[in-house]
Amino acid sequence: MDKDFSKHHKIIANFRGEVNKNSFEASYSAVTEHLNKTEKFLLKMELKRLAGACARSIDLRGLVNGECQLFDFQGQTHFLDDVAIATFKENVAVYGSYTFGVYESVKNAKNSFRNIYQNEQVTPSVVESINNNKSGTEKLQYPAKLNFLANYPNRAEERMNFAIPITLTVLNKQQLATTSIDLSVKGIKFKLINDISLFKGDQLSIAFTGLEQEFQFSKDDLFYFEVKNVLRDSGTQLIGCQRIDIPENDSFERFLVGYIQGNKRRYKINLDNSLAALQTRSLEQYALVKLNELIIFMQSAEGDMNKMSPRYALTTKNNQKLYQYWHDEKKRPALHYLVNAERLARLNVLQQQGKSLLVFSFIHQHKGEKFFYTVDEEQLKHDNAFFMQFLAFAASKSSFAITALKSLTIDAEQAYSPFTLSTAITKQQNYLNSPLTEEVNDILAHLPCAVTATDVTDTSDFNDYQALGYEGIDLDRLKSLGQKHNDKESRVDEITLSYGHQRQEVRFKYQTPVTIESKASNWSGLSADFSVSGLKVDLENPAALSKGDIVHLSFPKLQKITSAFDLKQLPYKIMRISKDKKVVNLRVSVKEHQHIGRSFFKLLIDKNKNKLTPDEYAMLTPGLSAALRTLYAVNMEIPTAMVQSSGSRYKVENLVVGTHGYQSHKNLLSAMLRLSDRHGYYNLYPMLGNLQVSNLIDQHMKKLMASDTAVSELIYIAIDASITDIEKSVTIKQVSELNTPQMRNFFIKNALKQGDFYSLQLKLSRSDEAHMEHLNPELAYIGSYAIHRGKQLEQDIYSVAGLVQLIDVTQETLLRYKLTQ
């Protein structure tokens, strides 16, 4: 039986979409009269199969030599490149719908790697021509967009894209006719030519001439507006205004509420701010949980700015090693040795210059106790001889570390990032992003600044510093630098950076006898865990209880340790009970009086905070973790490059930094901007222009797991700004290639002589999965008005595969270079 229809491809091509037509049988018989009955029958069945409806989705990512994108057809999602989309549309037009013929034509695209490979057997130059299709100029450009974290332009009202004629009357009584761009209940945006200039704060009146058929205006109906923002272009100005002097119970305002609600799906809501916010929020979520720097929030003592000490530390899996380094023998945080009052004063001076403060340290252990020895580069700048001896001595210790510190001024007003268009958020979603509580605001009021600590130690540093020699070092002076933990030092609390769902209250794992009474019966058991408002109890015997029952609990063992609380017959409500009736979850039942159990357990938890894990501690002050996280996001200076998957390949097209993060005009980011041939984009050639580095990123992304800590790669970059040819202007080397101090020094010397030198530490991490519950409110809102844009954004969110933090360690490299010369 012949099932290979390749020899009949002309017949199949001619009868695409013809099977269901009345003329098919006659035409088919005439064309296939030379075939035997079996062949004719099988070929007809094949034509009918190809014309049959298909429900399969097509995903060509990694299968074709093209950039795949989301393609939606009649509610079904596919991932196709431009060639496949053209093939899809052409075949749907022929078949009349999405059939197996369409499916197979798209899957057999001419630019699929399978077809390219088959053609290569005959004409090997085909693959070469595809691989070398890019011009030399394109290979020198790796454009990336810079995204600012904590950039959430919120709107109090929905804006409808709506063009209607309006008449303006400006302050000089001049009347101007123009057209609106978008409209909200209390706002409007329109265009004007630059001949008549308006500025923020100007007032004007507007007559809505285009709405006269929809609303009954009186002759004198003018509405007053104030200019809130002006965006000027070469020939026009885009002006946003807000209505002022609105009378109570205004009929026009009531009309607009209903008019916009009734027409917003027809004219479409302006989603620009929500689209920008959602993209930023997703990138922030990926970037912050993989930070390598340790963020230390400083607390002022009784409002005294001169008396500040570390109070909170934001930790991730990647910075956990650095955080644990600064712990004493009793596992207590010892960050006050890294950041003290004198060092903070020096940091504040350097902050104005955009510089870090390098701290060199080692740990000496004696009789089970830890002694921290630290010196910063400013501390001994007038005694270079002892400074070099200290560095050589410290580098001889396995605990040698170099930490770069930077201070950030904190503005508590930046601690909250509301969802865009809060009016569209349901009450059920409010818990995801609730406003800051008074308790959190009180804490933030005493946190005037933060310090970032970044480990910039590299294995090559040890030998370079050891070569300085410490023979004849003043041991008494060295000994005076050692410090041991002081019990009077203020407490530092660790808070883990995370976006995962957290319980409303912290649960403490604790076993204590519990007696449950209901009506005339009682059951004994042990608590498994408890919170302020509830607990879980494992019973010895099954209980005749049901969900919703009100029972009374007694805590005999706990009662023995307190006389201030009566822990007998406390009312609790059963929230859940297991099938075997032996595991009960309970919550306090409060009617008219304060529940004694809640007061007791709150006090018990407060006294045992040091036994809680960081995630549990963060829940003791709901909202504090999110507030500190946002405060750092808005000030983040270290850029992060986002690695996105594209089929079986990876691409880097986005960078993220904080909206208010300091960016020097002399740093690598500014150099990348100058090297770009696209306005507003950054050229990542200094990172990706080296084939070994680019391949290294690709290899790590394939091997790394989300649970792994970041892997590090150090590269040197030399840029000669006087040369316009990027390939000749930029030189990139892995430090591992420069395997001797002489080679490294030679590279640095030449780079400084010819232009700029950068030492860049690449920290590569595999991304965690996105916590979509924090993104879904805005994603659903966008999807309800622009489904294609919503799906494209969702695809972009899920495509993030990893991150590369670009940590500039030039300052330490140059210091070491100068010392070793």
Side-chain angles (χ1 to χ4, degrees):
M1 187 178 291
D2 183 14
K3 292 185 180 181
D4 180 10
F5 299 105
S6 58
K7 62 183 178 182
H8 302 308
H9 68 276
K10 286 186 178 180
I11 297 175
I12 291 173
N14 291 334
F15 281 98
R16 289 185 305 164
E18 300 291 320
V19 173
N20 297 319
K21 293 183 179 179
N22 295 330
S23 59
F24 170 71
E25 289 293 342
S27 300
Y28 180 73
S29 296
V31 171
T32 59
E33 59 182 7
H34 64 287
L35 301 179
N36 61 44
K37 287 185 178 181
T38 303
E39 279 187 308
K40 287 177 70 172
F41 173 76
L42 291 174
L43 186 55
K44 184 190 288 188
M45 291 301 100
E46 174 64 6
L47 288 171
K48 287 186 176 181
R49 184 188 70 81
L50 293 173
C54 180
R56 297 178 185 176
S57 290
I58 310 174
D59 188 348
L60 297 183
R61 290 177 293 182
L63 301 177
V64 294
N65 185 50
E67 192 75 20
C68 290
Q69 57 185 294
L70 195 71
F71 177 73
D72 185 87
F73 180 75
Q74 296 181 350
Q76 189 172 27
T77 299
H78 309 278
F79 288 98
L80 311 177
D81 69 332
D82 291 338
V83 174
I85 290 173
T87 305
F88 190 102
K89 290 179 178 178
E90 177 197 344
N91 280 272
V92 164
V94 173
Y95 281 102
S97 61
Y98 178 41
T99 69
F100 278 98
V102 179
Y103 173 83
E104 290 179 10
S105 295
V106 173
K107 290 284 283 186
N108 196 37
K110 61 185 178 182
N111 68 331
S112 71
F113 291 131
R114 173 172 52 82
N115 286 337
I116 291 171
Y117 174 77
Q118 288 172 352
N119 293 334
E120 184 189 10
Q121 309 310 308
V122 182
T123 56
S125 60
V126 171
V127 174
E128 283 185 32
S129 65
I130 290 173
N131 289 337
N132 297 324
N133 193 31
K134 293 184 178 179
S135 67
T137 305
E138 287 178 317
K139 287 183 180 180
L140 300 177
Q141 291 293 327
Y142 297 84
K145 183 182 177 184
L146 186 64
N147 300 271
F148 293 102
L149 298 188
N151 173 32
Y152 310 123
N154 189 29
R155 289 177 181 164
E157 299 174 340
E158 291 179 309
R159 295 186 190 178
M160 182 171 70
N161 290 326
F162 194 41
I164 54 166
I166 57 174
T167 302
L168 316 176
T169 304
V170 293
L171 288 175
N172 59 7
K173 306 301 180 185
Q174 182 180 3
Q175 287 195 338
L176 306 166
T178 185
T179 304
S180 69
I181 294 172
D182 61 40
L183 180 70
S184 67
V185 174
K186 295 178 182 176
I188 191 170
K189 186 176 284 187
F190 54 85
K191 267 187 180 181
L192 272 186
I193 58 173
N194 278 341
D195 292 345
I196 302 101
S197 293
L198 290 177
F199 300 91
K200 184 178 179 180
D202 286 350
Q203 294 185 4
L204 58 136
S205 60
I206 298 179
F208 289 85
T209 50
L211 286 176
E212 288 175 349
Q213 293 183 342
E214 310 289 341
F215 182 75
Q216 191 67 42
F217 294 100
S218 66
K219 288 184 179 179
D220 302 322
D221 262 349
L222 291 176
F223 304 95
Y224 296 93
F225 287 79
E226 181 180 331
V227 177
K228 288 296 183 181
N229 52 74
V230 179
L231 181 64
R232 301 184 194 281
D233 202 350
S234 54
T236 58
Q237 50 191 333
L238 198 62
I239 299 166
C241 298
Q242 184 176 357
R243 194 176 167 197
I244 56 174
D245 301 332
I246 305 173
E248 287 187 20
N249 200 24
D250 181 51
S251 58
F252 185 58
E253 185 176 306
R254 292 200 309 275
F255 159 74
L256 284 178
V257 170
Y259 191 73
I260 291 173
Q261 188 63 32
N263 289 279
K264 62 184 182 181
R265 291 192 182 276
R266 177 184 173 190
Y267 293 107
K268 298 297 182 184
I269 289 296
N270 186 314
L271 298 169
D272 291 347
N273 70 315
S274 293
L275 288 164
L278 183 59
Q279 184 185 31
T280 304
R281 210 182 292 279
S282 63
L283 293 177
E284 176 188 308
Q285 191 181 112
Y286 281 120
L288 290 192
V289 298
K290 296 294 181 177
L291 292 178
N292 291 276
E293 65 270 29
L294 180 67
I295 303 102
I296 306 161
F297 285 88
M298 306 297 292
Q299 185 179 55
S300 58
E302 300 174 358
D304 188 347
M305 299 294 286
N306 296 317
K307 294 181 180 178
M308 285 196 283
S309 58
R311 181 65 185 90
Y312 298 103
L314 295 188
T315 62
T316 66
K317 185 182 287 291
N318 285 339
N319 68 24
Q320 189 63 227
K321 184 179 177 182
L322 176 61
Y323 180 60
Q324 293 302 325
Y325 178 93
W326 295 98
H327 274 64
D328 69 3
E329 66 279 357
K330 294 182 180 178
K331 302 189 182 304
R332 296 172 297 187
L335 288 169
H336 51 281
Y337 296 140
L338 177 64
V339 188
N340 52 38
E342 296 80 10
R343 204 158 277 161
L344 192 59
R346 292 194 280 272
L347 265 174
N348 291 335
V349 174
L350 292 170
Q351 180 189 10
Q352 309 303 320
Q353 305 167 26
K355 290 183 177 180
S356 303
L357 180 67
L358 297 174
V359 178
F360 302 86
S361 63
F362 70 92
I363 301 170
H364 175 63
Q365 298 201 31
H366 179 64
K367 294 183 178 179
E369 295 182 343
K370 278 186 177 181
F371 292 84
F372 292 85
Y373 290 77
T374 67
V375 163
D376 65 61
E377 57 181 318
E378 295 287 313
Q379 191 174 340
L380 292 175
K381 67 178 180 180
H382 298 301
D383 192 347
N384 198 51
F386 181 72
F387 181 41
M388 293 171 71
Q389 287 178 322
F390 177 88
L391 293 177
F393 185 85
S396 68
K397 305 294 182 183
S398 60
S399 58
F400 176 57
I402 309 170
T403 309
L405 302 180
K406 267 199 170 184
S407 64
L408 310 167
T409 302
I410 295 301
D411 181 359
E413 295 294 323
Q414 300 166 349
Y416 180 55
S417 56
F419 284 133
T420 56
L421 197 72
S422 53
T423 53
I425 303 302
T426 65
K427 289 183 179 179
Q428 289 82 358
Q429 294 167 334
N430 278 340
Y431 80 95
L432 291 172
N433 202 10
S434 51
L436 304 185
T437 63
E438 286 187 19
E439 185 180 7
V440 172
N441 282 320
D442 288 343
I443 292 172
L444 298 182
H446 294 90
L447 303 177
C449 72
V451 173
T452 61
T454 309
D455 183 9
V456 297
T457 319
D458 189 75
T459 50
S460 62
D461 300 349
F462 284 64
N463 292 332
D464 289 352
Y465 285 117
Q466 285 172 10
L468 296 173
Y470 59 87
E471 188 177 346
I473 189 171
D474 186 338
L475 293 176
D476 290 334
R477 189 175 180 187
L478 178 66
K479 191 175 180 180
S480 67
L481 294 171
Q483 299 178 63
K484 185 185 175 300
H485 193 281
N486 185 346
D487 289 330
K488 293 181 180 179
E489 293 295 342
S490 61
R491 169 184 174 150
V492 177
D493 290 320
E494 177 188 3
I495 297 178
T496 302
L497 266 168
S498 66
Y499 286 80
H501 177 68
Q502 294 179 330
R503 300 185 182 113
Q504 288 183 323
E505 293 181 331
V506 59
R507 292 189 188 181
F508 221 120
K509 290 184 179 179
Y510 188 77
Q511 286 191 333
T512 187
V514 181
T515 301
I516 299 179
E517 296 180 43
S518 177
K519 298 174 182 175
S521 304
N522 63 75
W523 298 268
S524 297
L526 288 173
S527 65
D529 57 43
F530 67 80
S531 66
V532 171
S533 300
L535 74 159
K536 181 167 76 172
V537 179
D538 296 325
L539 298 174
E540 295 173 358
N541 300 302
L545 298 169
S546 303
K547 180 181 177 181
D549 287 352
I550 303 297
V551 296
H552 292 83
L553 271 63
S554 298
F555 301 88
K557 194 170 181 180
L558 292 177
Q559 186 66 80
K560 292 178 181 179
I561 62 173
T562 179
S563 57
F565 298 91
D566 184 3
L567 302 179
K568 297 175 184 175
Q569 299 288 313
L570 301 178
Y572 278 81
K573 183 179 182 179
I574 296 179
M575 306 305 293
R576 191 180 300 108
I577 188 166
S578 62
K579 287 184 179 180
D580 62 4
K581 300 289 185 177
K582 292 181 71 174
V583 181
V584 189
N585 293 78
L586 305 112
R587 188 168 181 82
V588 296
S589 178
V590 183
K591 292 184 179 178
E592 298 177 358
H593 58 83
Q594 175 65 36
H595 197 282
I596 299 298
R598 179 181 285 172
S599 303
F600 172 77
F601 286 122
K602 187 176 188 305
L603 181 64
L604 188 63
I605 289 174
D606 286 341
K607 287 187 174 181
N608 290 275
K609 285 181 181 178
N610 60 325
K611 296 179 182 178
L612 296 172
T613 66
D615 288 340
E616 291 170 333
Y617 181 84
M619 287 185 282
L620 288 178
T621 309
L624 178 60
S625 176
L628 296 181
R629 184 182 70 205
T630 304
L631 278 174
Y632 181 66
V634 78
N635 290 290
M636 190 175 87
E637 292 182 9
I638 301 175
T640 296
M642 312 303 294
V643 182
Q644 292 175 277
S645 59
S646 180
S648 60
R649 296 170 294 171
Y650 296 99
K651 61 183 181 180
V652 183
E653 296 178 345
N654 285 287
L655 291 165
V656 293
V657 294
T659 304
H660 299 290
Y662 175 84
Q663 296 298 332
S664 167
H665 65 283
K666 293 182 179 179
N667 67 5
L668 183 60
L669 212 56
S670 62
M672 288 176 171
L673 185 61
R674 291 193 298 271
L675 291 168
S676 177
D677 63 355
R678 292 177 63 181
H679 179 68
Y681 281 76
Y682 292 73
N683 185 4
L684 299 183
Y685 182 84
M687 180 177 77
L688 301 176
N690 182 297
L691 186 61
Q692 287 80 10
V693 175
S694 182
N695 288 341
L696 195 70
I697 293 173
D698 192 71
Q699 290 165 17
H700 280 307
M701 286 302 110
K702 290 177 179 177
K703 293 178 182 178
L704 279 171
M705 304 289 287
S707 57
D708 294 338
T709 54
V711 295
S712 184
E713 182 67 31
L714 187 62
I715 62 174
Y716 283 175
I717 303 165
I719 301 178
D720 186 347
S722 65
I723 301 175
T724 54
D725 187 329
I726 293 177
E727 194 169 16
K728 294 178 181 177
S729 169
V730 182
T731 307
I732 311 145
K733 285 286 184 183
Q734 288 176 266
V735 174
S736 55
E737 294 178 64
L738 309 170
N739 49 23
T740 67
Q742 291 77 19
M743 291 176 69
R744 293 193 289 273
N745 287 348
F746 180 77
F747 184 95
I748 296 168
K749 183 180 179 180
N750 277 358
L752 294 173
K753 185 186 295 182
Q754 296 172 1
D756 297 321
F757 166 76
Y758 300 96
S759 179
L760 193 65
Q761 200 177 67
L762 304 179
K763 292 283 190 178
L764 292 83
S765 300
R766 187 79 187 185
S767 62
D768 288 337
E769 287 187 13
H771 290 284
M772 293 304 295
E773 67 271 20
H774 289 269
L775 306 176
N776 278 333
E778 285 164 315
L779 187 60
Y781 178 71
I782 291 168
S784 63
Y785 297 107
I787 187 167
H788 294 293
R789 298 183 81 176
K791 285 185 175 180
Q792 183 61 53
L793 256 177
E794 189 171 10
Q795 180 196 351
D796 291 343
I797 291 168
Y798 281 117
S799 72
V800 176
L803 313 91
V804 184
Q805 261 201 298
L806 314 181
I807 301 176
D808 192 329
V809 296
T810 310
Q811 191 172 327
E812 186 278 328
T813 304
L814 289 179
L815 174 70
R816 180 159 37 93
Y817 168 71
K818 289 171 184 175
L819 290 173
T820 54
Q821 288 302 295

